[in-house]
Amino acid sequence: MLRATAEITRERRTRAIEFWQSAEDLRDLDGDGNSIVSLYVLAGVAASDAICGARLGEYAQGENHADALAVMKRADPALVASLQRLLSRKTEWPYGGAGVSASRIESARAAATRLVEAARRSTRA
């Protein structure tokens, strides 16, 4: 686990919002589904860091998804499913050869939106 200062928490919230907005912009332009979902995944992960940092003073870093989910469970159990949905597809979506279906894009969008909105509420300065 990494210690999360107020500055780090704000930076992770800012990144979450930027990634989410970029995904929204690309979606509006009918961009590549893999890219859109990748941005939603990045938004959700950054939002998770911000939420955990704000609520617990720490966040998980690295490729161990179990650690990230365990920290989120302590910070906000209601958000674990959203983070799990994004993390479970983290490598499948960005590197998949086939196009991503509209339903998978919407699933990623819903999960990322839930996490980003929670980050906005958790980290208001």
Side-chain angles (χ1 to χ4, degrees), residues 52-119:
C52 294
R55 296 182 185 177
L56 303 173
E58 66 182 10
Y59 64 100
Q61 185 178 39
E63 294 301 315
N64 187 341
H65 296 168
D67 288 346
L69 293 168
V71 176
M72 179 55 77
K73 186 175 182 180
R74 289 182 18 237
D76 190 335
L79 295 173
V80 172
S82 293
L83 181 59
Q84 172 69 43
R85 183 174 307 123
L86 294 171
L87 291 177
S88 70
R89 305 294 185 188
K90 187 176 172 186
T91 56
E92 175 186 325
W93 281 331
Y95 303 115
V100 175
S101 70
S103 65
R104 287 200 175 208
I105 292 170
E106 286 308 310
S107 175
R109 181 179 190 238
T113 299
R114 189 161 187 223
L115 288 161
V116 169
E117 288 304 315

Side-chain angles (χ1 to χ4, degrees), residues 17-84:
I17 294 166
E18 288 173 349
F19 287 134
W20 184 87
Q21 189 59 59
S22 294
E24 290 288 290
D25 292 345
L26 191 56
R27 186 175 158 269
D28 289 344
L29 295 170
D30 283 332
D32 175 69
N34 286 321
S35 298
I36 294 166
V37 173
S38 295
L39 288 165
Y40 284 134
V41 169
L42 292 171
V45 169
S48 173
D49 293 346
I51 294 162
C52 294
R55 296 182 185 177
L56 303 173
E58 66 182 10
Y59 64 100
Q61 185 178 39
E63 294 301 315
N64 187 341
H65 296 168
D67 288 346
L69 293 168
V71 176
M72 179 55 77
K73 186 175 182 180
R74 289 182 18 237
D76 190 335
L79 295 173
V80 172
S82 293
L83 181 59
Q84 172 69 43

Side-chain angles (χ1 to χ4, degrees), residues 2-15 46 49-51 53-54 57-59 123:
L2 293 176
R3 185 173 166 272
T5 63
E7 180 180 347
I8 290 169
T9 300
R10 282 190 304 272
E11 184 275 329
R12 297 305 292 153
R13 178 195 60 213
T14 298
R15 292 296 84 71
D49 293 346
I51 294 162
E58 66 182 10
Y59 64 100
T123 59

